[in-house]
Amino acid sequence: MKKVLPLLFMFILLFSIFISGAASIYASESGLNTSDAHDVEMLQQPLDDIDLLIENAISEQVMPGAVVLVARDEQIVKHEAYGYAARYTDGDFTEMENPIDMQENTIFDTASISKLFTATAIMTLWDEGLFELDDPVALYIPEFATNGKEDVTIKQLLTHTSGFRASTTVPVHEIEGDREDRLDFVLNETLEVPPGTRYLYSDVDFITLGVLIERLSGQRQDEYVAANITEPLQMNDTMYNPPASLKERIAATEYQSNVNRGLVWGSVHDEKAWALDGVAGHAGVFSSAEDLAVFGQMMLNEGSYQGEQILSEEAFELITTNWNGAFPGQDQGLGWELNQSWYMDDLAEQNTIGHTGYTGTSIVVSPNNQSITILLTNRVHPTRSTVSTNPTRRMVSEKTASAIDAWNAESMMSLVERLVDRGEITDTPATQLLLTHLSAISHFESLDQAQKVRKHLQGFQTLVDFYKENNSITDNAYETLRTDIEYLTGKWQ
């Protein structure tokens, strides 16, 4: 018996070490989880205020419904559904007898967010050494070398500097024949301007890249994306051409009488992608908010997620480099857009990446904040003749930024420094005084002296008001600081 007890003790000890080690391995490889905003140093109130913004947009018929997801530090802190996924039977806003509520796991036609999957697929092929970015496209697609396109490079397609116009000269769905015939037509398109001379956002660029994926891989684009991106990442709600069995989970889009499609619901909205059998480089991907968050987290992790290496670190660096320095305001990585305040708002920085989609979708990935902000809407349901979703996109990003920046005085100091970098605070003495004041507030926060924090925040607001009156800060900087002062004050009530 005396010998058994030490052996039993040793077994228990080894077993506990094994379990502890296994738990730590699981924790390090676990994916996105749900958490409270406070746990990742975000204020809850700005996130809660998103609800009213979306509800007001729905009431104003900006869109029938939406899903918002915000994540930080691998924790989902907001995931809400609003309104309806399917509400109307035609373009005259005739109500369905049984409209379908939006759900958190509703699947959306992501429209041009599809371009991000194309760019990722292209760079996985680059990782295999199958091409160089400055190679001419015609080296791999010989028939592309027509109409002065022999010098267009793969990088120019990825950065919208190839010279192609926004769309094709003739609607793709009007071209006779099958998918191959219509792709041949696209490959024979002419340029609007010489390569490398202008930034022109173009679907033709990415349709061509879709063909390049198929030529280099020997697989159709949807098959390649599934095998190399969505399946390894377990993005089970992300696909081209979703099966009919998923229709009730999919947000309806437009009633398209012009092409006799009726209510488009469960198949791709974009007419070019539809004419290409739902598989194209510029559009066609359906996804849910949580799946897109996984995709965004893979980018925050510089190409990997839960042990799956989708992109090399070098490919990630190339994707997130601004290649469009010659075209100010059109910062562009490979596929991903950079630093676009018109929908990223205060999340916009030189390394913030994102994209929007025509159907009313957007994703913003901020490495500096380790945050992901996703807005998915069905704004073209039942018609594309609706007001822009851009103000809503921007407000969702703004509230996400406020939840981070208004967490404490120290984070507001970082905000002030960003505003200076953007040229929105131009007075050096003003900058120093603002930072000094915030430093004092931070001191009282560390002492948990709520009354003094609130008092000094009032003084800080007075200072901001003074600088606004003296034109030392822009209107946007003023509104940003005013809003965040209000949120931080609320935290200390």
Side-chain angles (χ1 to χ4, degrees):
M1 183 68 180
K2 290 181 180 179
K3 291 183 179 180
V4 172
L5 287 175
L7 288 172
L8 183 61
F9 175 77
M10 184 61 70
F11 173 80
I12 293 171
L13 180 61
L14 290 172
F15 183 75
S16 65
I17 291 172
F18 171 79
I19 292 296
S20 174
S24 65
I25 291 170
Y26 175 79
S28 67
E29 294 185 355
S30 62
L32 291 163
N33 298 302
T34 302
S35 181
D36 292 330
H38 184 275
D39 294 337
V40 291
E41 298 189 351
M42 295 180 74
L43 287 184
Q44 185 63 46
Q45 189 59 55
L47 299 177
D48 290 343
D49 288 347
I50 291 174
D51 298 344
L52 183 59
L53 296 173
I54 299 296
E55 288 161 4
N56 286 342
I58 291 173
S59 69
E60 294 167 3
Q61 288 195 326
V62 177
M63 77 283 286
V67 173
V68 170
L69 186 149
V70 177
R72 190 183 193 203
D73 292 339
E74 299 189 343
Q75 303 297 312
I76 297 172
V77 295
K78 186 176 187 66
H79 190 188
E80 300 286 345
Y82 313 82
Y84 296 96
R87 184 174 182 178
Y88 306 106
T89 62
D90 57 35
D92 296 322
F93 291 85
T94 303
E95 296 269 351
M96 290 181 174
E97 185 175 344
N98 296 300
I100 297 177
D101 291 335
M102 194 70 79
Q103 304 292 332
E104 291 177 2
N105 69 346
T106 295
I107 297 171
F108 289 78
D109 178 342
T110 69
S112 283
I113 287 178
S114 305
K115 292 179 172 72
L116 304 181
F117 290 86
T118 299
T120 302
I122 283 287
M123 293 309 290
T124 63
L125 293 165
W126 179 87
D127 273 331
E128 293 181 23
L130 297 182
F131 66 90
E132 295 297 335
L133 288 172
D134 289 323
D135 285 347
V137 178
L139 188 61
Y140 308 98
I141 309 175
E143 63 269 39
F144 183 80
T146 59
N147 300 318
K149 304 196 301 292
E150 59 275 1
D151 294 329
V152 173
T153 69
I154 295 169
K155 185 196 294 180
Q156 287 170 339
L157 295 179
L158 286 162
T159 57
H160 296 291
T161 57
S162 66
F164 279 121
R165 57 185 57 80
S167 190
T168 51
T169 50
V170 175
V172 176
H173 66 267
E174 294 182 5
I175 303 301
E176 295 292 333
D178 58 14
R179 182 174 187 265
E180 291 305 314
D181 295 319
R182 290 165 174 166
L183 287 174
D184 285 342
F185 163 75
V186 174
L187 294 174
N188 197 47
E189 279 286 68
T190 58
L191 300 176
E192 179 82 0
V193 297
T197 60
R198 280 179 60 189
Y199 170 89
L200 291 173
Y201 181 86
S202 175
D203 285 347
V204 182
D205 286 333
F206 276 75
I207 295 173
T208 305
L209 287 166
V211 175
L212 183 61
I213 291 168
E214 298 183 354
R215 296 291 176 90
L216 292 173
S217 70
Q219 294 177 279
R220 202 168 75 162
Q221 182 172 354
D222 54 342
E223 297 170 349
Y224 186 83
V225 168
N228 294 276
I229 302 173
T230 59
E231 288 175 3
L233 294 177
Q234 298 182 45
M235 295 171 63
N236 299 323
D237 288 337
T238 304
M239 67 204 79
Y240 301 78
N241 290 322
S245 59
L246 285 177
K247 182 177 179 179
E248 295 298 304
R249 283 189 55 203
I250 297 173
T253 53
E254 188 177 27
Y255 186 86
Q256 294 186 347
S257 57
N258 60 320
V259 288
N260 297 316
R261 296 182 68 191
L263 180 62
V264 180
W265 185 5
S267 61
V268 66
H269 169 263
D270 181 272
E271 292 96 330
K272 294 186 290 294
W274 168 63
L276 296 170
D277 297 345
V279 181
H282 71 296
V285 172
F286 286 73
S287 190
S288 63
E290 194 160 356
D291 265 17
L292 287 176
V294 168
F295 190 63
Q297 189 62 50
M298 180 271 292
M299 293 300 292
L300 285 178
N301 295 346
E302 301 188 357
S304 67
Y305 182 79
Q306 285 190 279
E308 292 289 343
Q309 192 76 37
I310 304 300
L311 296 163
S312 69
E313 291 183 11
E314 189 175 1
F316 169 82
E317 290 295 330
L318 292 170
I319 288 172
T320 55
T321 294
N322 177 25
W323 297 101
N324 283 3
F327 310 106
Q330 306 295 347
D331 295 9
Q332 180 77 50
L334 302 179
W336 290 84
E337 296 170 339
L338 300 168
N339 197 26
Q340 297 298 308
S341 60
W342 62 272
Y343 67 95
M344 298 175 179
D345 199 75
D346 286 321
L347 294 172
E349 298 183 71
Q350 290 183 348
N351 63 343
T352 303
I353 59 176
H355 214 285
T356 62
Y358 187 79
T359 50
T361 58
S362 60
I363 179 171
V364 180
V365 178
S366 169
N368 290 350
N369 291 308
Q370 283 295 296
S371 69
I372 302 163
T373 306
I374 294 167
L375 171 65
L376 302 179
T377 81
N378 51 349
R379 74 100 187 165
V380 296
H381 177 55
T383 170
R384 68 184 70 185
S385 300
T386 55
V387 299
S388 172
T389 52
N390 288 346
T392 309
R393 286 168 169 151
R394 184 162 186 167
M395 286 187 292
V396 171
S397 293
E398 175 197 344
K399 294 303 179 186
T400 302
S402 286
I404 296 168
D405 294 333
W407 171 251
N408 58 23
E410 185 178 353
S411 56
M412 285 191 66
M413 291 172 72
S414 297
L415 169 62
V416 169
E417 290 167 351
R418 292 203 310 275
L419 292 171
V420 171
D421 290 341
R422 296 207 296 254
E424 297 197 54
I425 300 178
T426 55
D427 188 295
T428 301
T431 300
Q432 291 303 317
L433 197 50
L434 289 171
L435 292 174
T436 299
H437 209 104
L438 285 169
S439 182
I441 295 170
S442 181
H443 170 71
F444 291 119
E445 284 182 320
S446 68
L447 298 176
D448 203 27
Q449 295 185 3
Q451 185 175 355
K452 289 188 176 181
V453 170
R454 293 195 302 271
K455 178 181 177 180
H456 281 75
L457 279 168
Q458 289 176 353
F460 184 68
Q461 179 64 66
T462 301
L463 195 62
V464 171
D465 291 340
F466 173 79
Y467 288 135
K468 171 65 173 63
E469 292 170 3
N470 287 273
N471 298 316
S472 296
I473 63 176
T474 65
D475 290 345
N476 180 69
Y478 175 78
E479 286 302 319
T480 298
L481 289 170
R482 182 193 62 78
T483 300
D484 288 359
I485 291 167
E486 187 175 312
Y487 280 131
L488 183 53
T489 301
K491 176 183 176 180
W492 285 95
Q493 292 294 347

